[in-house]
Amino acid sequence: MHEEDLTLALVGSGGEGVVSAGEILIHATAQDGLYSMMVKSYGPQIRGGESLAQIRLKKTPVLSQGDALDAMVVLSWSNFHRFAGEVRLKERAVILHDSEDAPPATLKVPAKARFVAVPFTASAKQITGVTQAKNIVALGFLAGWFDLPQHGFAESIRERFAKKSEAVQQSNLAAFQAGVALAQAESTRPRYDWAVTNHEAKLVLTGNEAVAIGSLFAGVKFFAGYPITPASEIMEWMARELPRFDRVFIQTEDEIAAVTMAIGASFAGAKAMTATSGPGLSLMTEAVGLAAMAELPLVVVDVQRAGPSTGIPTKTTQADLYHAVFGGHGNLPRVVLAPTDAADAIAVAVHAFYLAEKYQLPVLLLTDQFLGQRLEVIPQVDFAALKPQVITRTAPTEEDLQRYHRFKLTESGVSPISAPGIKNGMYTAAGIEHDETGRPTSNAELDEKMTRKRAQKIETIRQHESGMLWRCGDHDPEIGILAWGSTKGAVQEVVARLQQEGRKVAALVLRQLSPLPLAQLQNFMDPLEGLLIVEMADGQFHSYLKSQLTLPHSTRVYKRLGAALFTVQEILDAIKEVDALWETTLQQTIAAM
Amino acid sequence: MGNHTATDYRSDVKPVWCPGCGDFGVLNAVYQALARLQLPFEEVAVVSGIGCSSRLPGYVKTYGFNSIHGRALPVAQGVKLARPETTVIAVAGDGDGLSIGGGHLPHIARRNVDLTYIMMDNGIYGMTKGQSSPTTGGDQETKSMPYGIIEEAVNPIKLALSYDATFIARGFSANVKQCIDLIVRGIQHPGFAFVQLLSPCVTFVGRDQFDIIRELAVDLPEDYDAGSLDQAWQVSNELGKISLGVIYQKQSPTYEQRLQNLAQRAQEGSRADFADLLRQYHVSEPEPAQD
């Protein structure tokens, strides 16, 4: 079967419906069995201004956003220069633009790229009476040009305009059909075959929605939050859904109130969480220490965005790693998890609550703007398989309650936890150091014991939990790739490409950053002749690994800062550098013999 | 109903407060208020931030939470909203509650969460040994204002009134009987109850703080109407005297009641289920999810 793999972008000014058109395309083609992923790019102002939607379409699950574009639809050139740096065209890319809006003379495109002028605006006006529907005409043109299955479009367009009148729905359907007809009149267009035989159940959702769905499945009973891009969608989701399930949502006055309310709710026995982004996590960090000290379960989601300070709220990064893993004062035991894609975000959210409740500590869930806000079509998630991880904390036994010691020293570090309503389980939770009963103390010996007890939970997790590793590639690789979180998709494609070239290669992607699964990591690295570490930050992941493990001699780090997403090609290029490094090392060894 | 005496509500932790501290009076009043209401130990949570006053939860044999500086109110709201059947009492000092935690007061007031907030006001930072607090008044010299205060003192009653709190009272920790009454009425009030208890710091302000307050304190007159906002504003603006009692009270739906109404609207008669929720995200031959 020929692999149909299409990467498209729609570009326009705010309000031109670029993202709406993308969403329609994704929902429509998913109904015909196709997989896709859409990333959005827009200016730092969040509302208005320029916007770009990039969509990759395949018959099999889409792993990354795709590199260079097969086609670009430009609804207006006015703000295009702001995206020029993010847009890369394939050699034979097609650039579709409005007949009334000629490309700027300064535009640089590959020599064999082709411009097609289409009367988007004129058609929209002719059919609907207004120019707004030009995005729908463009959508029709794309569907016609690339032979996309069309049965899903009618329903998706109707759904999109469900709140408008029947006439509006009809005229948009007509605008779509006009676009299709315009494309089909072009005899020189390429031919694609998107017919799918395997119609499996699918979900269409963003990473933020996935985190929310996973949390609800895990039984979250209390969500407190404060708006911040790109995490707000989690909060808005909770605001809409939690009341329908008799659970509590509250929008607080600030991030500190959000996290401390969640801690209060957890003290009262509820599974509690909050979600934020970088600057918000900074504000919450003192309270994360409180949860660790009072040994209360807590889930904090950090949807990373470019920083420090306000940074770029609409761009992605992996640079909150240090803050998540090391942030806070004192010895602060915490777990840090990082989902790799939308499907995984459901599973990792469930796991976050599992660890929080079981070990009575804060769990940070690190996602990022790329994962949080991209829209994905994914295979149906096996919720039955996740069910065993939906647990509630173990209440103290009758025996425990006879002489209740909330912070009893145990081998695992976990003690029987009580909550208001439980008779004879009264105790005072505190951020101040305390003895086994909760009584405040400044005794150095006792402080050391209690600090060890809390730290022991981390060791218990390291020894007894899965480590949340994701691996792909050969069993006996010569070259390895180590990455974490949302870079997994690009890394997975890199491995597939290298395997096609006959290389023995494997990738390990960490979904649990703290505690690091040291034994499994060392196992993975031992046989390697070369290692590439991939991260979208200035070496935080690399130095973190170095601080806890011995890395192979031929290790290179591919780190890149900045707003653009990783492409498969740039990681492949970095692999060549690992090869060169290994070659040099080999020659030096031979020369020294 | 149980048969608990005030002593039954004492934990076995000994207070660390200085001898003669006003906070002993407040603690005593809390014990007696809980006994008067015969509240089961396990149905009460006393939540605090940081400071001398905030050690109080440890001294009460109920559930307690001694959290972090300035955050008594959000932690307390989390407890209450997650488990509404709990009687929640938040305690804070003037520094904890009006300085670092001052931003939480307007918001709990506008939510009208059903809990009682006791502000133990001594006009000084006691735990950090005598720096100025937002309620330090007059021309006092403090560790952080060695040449005398150059800021105006915050008026907590005025603040609570302007934030539209539904129950506002003031007491004096030397008058334990009145404090008990104010705490009991605060707990019984459906909604947010703000109770300022003047609680002198004998170490960093001095024993004469008791005498000064005693000299200025008067009970609100018999015919005082706590339902009148006008009278409440007058009391809050008084100079040369400190009126004690319930200064303002009104009825308004609690946040918990509003949450319940909201849930009813959201559910339109039936509670949602997970499989239904998931269907929103399904495409192509959706299969029912297993919950």
Side-chain angles (χ1 to χ4, degrees), chain A residues 30-31 66 88-89 128 167 191 195 277 376-377 485 498 526 571 584:
Chain A
Q31 289 177 53
R88 293 203 305 138
L89 297 167
T128 65
R191 289 291 186 271
S277 187
E376 277 187 71
V377 180
L498 288 171
D526 279 344
I571 301 173
T584 319

Side-chain angles (χ1 to χ4, degrees), chain B residues 41 49 52 124 139 147 187 269:
Chain B
F41 307 117
C52 295
I124 200 84
D139 48 6
Y147 308 106
I187 292 173

Side-chain angles (χ1 to χ4, degrees), chain A residues 462 466-469 510 512-513 515-522 549:
Chain A
R462 210 195 302 265
S466 69
M468 300 294 281
L469 289 153
L510 297 179
Q512 179 179 304
L513 293 159
L516 278 178
L518 295 174
Q520 296 106 304
L521 265 168
Q522 200 66 61
L549 288 155

Side-chain angles (χ1 to χ4, degrees), chain B residues 21-66:
Chain B
C21 176
D23 291 352
F24 284 104
V26 178
L27 178 62
N28 190 358
V30 168
Y31 291 145
Q32 300 206 43
L34 294 175
R36 193 181 292 176
L37 293 166
Q38 286 295 308
L39 292 170
F41 307 117
E42 67 274 11
E43 291 302 332
V44 180
V46 186
V47 180
S48 69
I50 295 293
C52 295
S53 59
S54 290
R55 300 306 280 266
L56 189 139
Y59 310 144
V60 186
K61 200 174 90 179
T62 61
Y63 281 90
F65 201 145
N66 179 188

Side-chain angles (χ1 to χ4, degrees), chain A residues 27 30-33 199-205 209 213-214 216-217 221-222 237 239-254 256-258 260-270 286-287 290 294 296 377 380 382-384 387 418-432 439-440, chain B residues 12-14 40-47 50 55 57-69 71 73-84 86 100 103-105 107-108 110-111 113 255 259 262-264 266-267 270-291:
Chain A
H27 281 96
Q31 289 177 53
D32 288 293
H199 281 271
E200 54 201 349
K202 296 178 181 64
L203 299 171
V204 183
L205 78 184
E209 286 171 329
I213 289 169
L216 186 74
F217 184 76
K221 205 194 150 202
F222 186 95
W237 192 98
R240 192 177 65 241
E241 300 298 343
L242 290 191
R244 302 176 61 227
F245 288 83
D246 287 326
R247 305 183 192 181
V248 179
F249 164 81
I250 184 163
Q251 179 178 332
T252 57
E253 53 272 31
D254 56 38
I256 297 173
T260 46
M261 267 192 214
I263 290 171
S266 178
F267 169 76
E286 185 195 10
L290 172 65
L296 290 169
V377 180
Q380 168 70 292
D382 185 359
F383 281 93
K387 193 82 191 169
S418 177
I422 297 178
K423 246 185 169 170
N424 301 322
M426 290 86 67
Y427 76 102
T428 298
I432 200 161
R439 179 197 297 259
Chain B
D12 54 6
V13 181
K14 269 187 78 150
F41 307 117
E42 67 274 11
E43 291 302 332
V44 180
V46 186
V47 180
I50 295 293
R55 300 306 280 266
Y59 310 144
V60 186
K61 200 174 90 179
T62 61
Y63 281 90
F65 201 145
N66 179 188
S67 73
I68 46 178
H69 202 26
R71 314 303 163 200
L73 285 180
V75 173
Q77 288 171 86
V79 177
K80 184 67 185 179
L81 298 180
R83 194 175 182 279
T86 317
I100 180 168
H104 302 303
L105 185 57
H107 301 282
I108 189 166
R110 73 192 177 95
R111 290 182 193 120
V113 176
Y255 191 78
L259 267 184
L262 180 148
Q264 271 169 15
Q267 291 173 17
S270 72
R271 193 175 175 278
D273 77 42
F274 188 75
D276 265 346
L277 171 105
L278 213 55
R279 254 171 234 128
Q280 297 172 37
Y281 300 92
H282 262 122
V283 283
S284 308
E285 305 165 349
E287 285 163 8
Q290 287 162 348
D291 191 355

Side-chain angles (χ1 to χ4, degrees), chain B residues 122-142:
Chain B
N122 59 6
I124 200 84
Y125 280 90
M127 190 147 268
T128 47
K129 297 189 290 183
Q131 299 84 357
S132 317
S133 96
T135 57
T136 310
D139 48 6
Q140 263 192 74
E141 290 165 14
T142 70

